[in-house]
Amino acid sequence: MSFTKSILTFLLSLLFIFNYAQSNWAEDMQNPNVNFYDVQQAFENYFQNKEIEKGKGYKQFKRWEYFMEPRVYPTGNRFSPSKVYEEYNAIINSQQQNRSLTGQWEYIGNNTVPTNAGGAGRINCLAFRPGNSNVIYAGAPAGGLWISEDAGATWNTYTDDLASIGVSAIAIHPFDPDTIFIGTGDGDAGDTYSVGILKSIDGGITFQPTGLSFNYVSGITIKKLLINPTNPDILIASTSNGIYKSEDGAVTWTQVVTGNYNDLEFKPGDANIVYTTTNGKFSLTYFISFCI
């Protein structure tokens, strides 16, 4: 082997290791069996002496780190999502008394979030009620669905008792605005996992499961949810477990693509074409389109 070829092989090997290092800590974030401090060390090794660039996952990690670190100290062993869910249900079932909240609350500040949390206190998605833009819906990564009826001056939530109170996607029926679908779980940083797509027929006051349901312990997150503007019986959901499609108003669903997908958008003027993004190997992002 020539010297030039040897150098080229060496450089390609370094590139592989460099990319794999990033992929490794990013994937380990989603694996509850990996010790928190091992993931943290891998992240710090990767970003050591590197310029922080948008799209490299720095903020997402910092949010995850801020959420997770106080919950795993001092061992670094991460909690089991299934155990958390079991304990939550046990508490709910043991409480027989009226659990309704009373009293008036007023937000008094402050208007900042901790800088070392990478943007904690975030909102994953927003939607406006068709025909009445004063009604706004906001999905929080671990705080449920919030509704404002006065253009954002005041907010209420009715989702505190849902099995998963993370919301990353909202889709409103274009002809019946009381019908609302939400994609559960935190699709950004994985602070909460998904129980599937839920449906409300009373404007977001109550929700029921649809045909797309996930076991919380599977660790799946929903990223985006679209409803066809001309045929609202067709819904499309991007998830960490593929893209799913319903043709009967969310009663039944079919997985049409496998993989880990993020955003979804209809082609303007042609809802038969959908564009989506996904994280490929080595965290390279690319676009695909397909007919629905």
Side-chain angles (χ1 to χ4, degrees):
M1 180 181 294
S2 68
F3 177 76
T4 301
K5 193 171 182 179
S6 299
I7 292 296
L8 179 59
T9 302
F10 175 72
L11 291 176
L12 289 175
S13 299
L14 287 181
L15 178 62
F16 176 84
I17 294 171
F18 172 82
N19 283 308
Y20 178 77
Q22 180 189 24
S23 176
N24 196 41
W25 65 258
E27 292 173 2
D28 286 347
M29 282 174 58
Q30 310 301 325
N31 185 352
N33 295 320
V34 180
N35 187 280
F36 167 82
Y37 296 114
D38 291 339
V39 183
Q40 188 182 55
Q41 186 62 56
F43 170 85
E44 292 174 354
N45 291 342
Y46 175 77
F47 276 100
Q48 187 177 17
N49 300 323
K50 287 188 178 68
E51 183 178 353
I52 299 172
E53 299 179 30
K54 187 174 182 180
K56 297 294 186 180
Y58 184 88
K59 280 190 175 182
Q60 285 79 1
F61 177 85
K62 283 300 180 181
R63 294 168 186 160
W64 175 83
E65 179 185 49
Y66 182 81
F67 174 85
M68 191 67 66
E69 189 165 23
R71 293 168 170 81
V72 300
Y73 178 83
T75 66
N77 295 327
R78 292 153 65 180
F79 51 85
S80 166
S82 61
K83 186 63 176 178
V84 174
Y85 186 53
E86 290 172 4
E87 292 296 329
Y88 169 81
N89 283 331
I91 293 173
I92 294 299
N93 293 334
S94 67
Q95 293 179 340
Q96 303 298 325
Q97 70 274 21
N98 186 343
R99 297 188 298 111
S100 62
L101 299 177
T102 60
Q104 298 296 318
W105 291 82
E106 180 181 359
Y107 181 76
I108 59 175
N110 69 39
N111 294 320
T112 62
V113 297
T115 56
N116 64 343
R122 57 203 158 87
I123 294 294
N124 278 346
C125 53
L126 288 173
F128 294 85
R129 182 181 176 94
N132 185 357
S133 59
N134 286 325
V135 179
I136 310 172
Y137 301 89
L145 181 74
W146 290 78
I147 306 173
S148 173
E149 297 180 346
D150 50 15
T154 60
W155 294 84
N156 293 296
T157 184
Y158 307 95
T159 55
D160 285 347
D161 290 334
L162 294 183
S164 173
I165 58 173
V167 176
S168 286
I170 305 169
I172 304 176
H173 195 291
F175 311 132
D176 178 14
D178 281 335
T179 298
I180 301 171
F181 300 89
I182 59 173
T184 57
D186 176 21
D188 179 26
D191 285 354
T192 55
Y193 297 128
S194 178
V195 294
I197 302 291
L198 304 182
K199 177 182 179 180
S200 173
I201 58 173
D202 54 13
I205 306 301
T206 61
F207 283 90
Q208 298 297 325
T210 68
L212 185 60
S213 297
F214 298 124
N215 190 327
Y216 187 85
V217 300
S218 66
I220 295 172
T221 56
I222 295 174
K223 313 294 187 66
K224 188 68 177 286
L225 179 62
L226 295 181
I227 185 167
N228 191 300
T230 58
N231 184 359
D233 281 339
I234 297 178
L235 292 93
I236 306 167
S238 61
T239 79
S240 60
N241 191 49
I243 294 178
Y244 293 80
K245 175 189 175 186
S246 174
E247 295 181 335
D248 54 12
V251 177
T252 60
W253 294 78
T254 302
Q255 186 185 44
V256 295
V257 183
T258 60
N260 187 351
Y261 290 87
N262 297 326
D263 200 9
L264 283 173
E265 293 295 342
F266 287 118
K267 180 180 179 180
D270 186 358
N272 289 316
I273 303 294
V274 177
Y275 296 91
T276 185
T277 60
T278 180
N279 290 329
K281 195 173 184 180
F282 303 151
S283 299
L284 296 177
T285 300
Y286 58 92
F287 294 84
I288 69 169
S289 67
F290 56 92
C291 291
I292 294 299

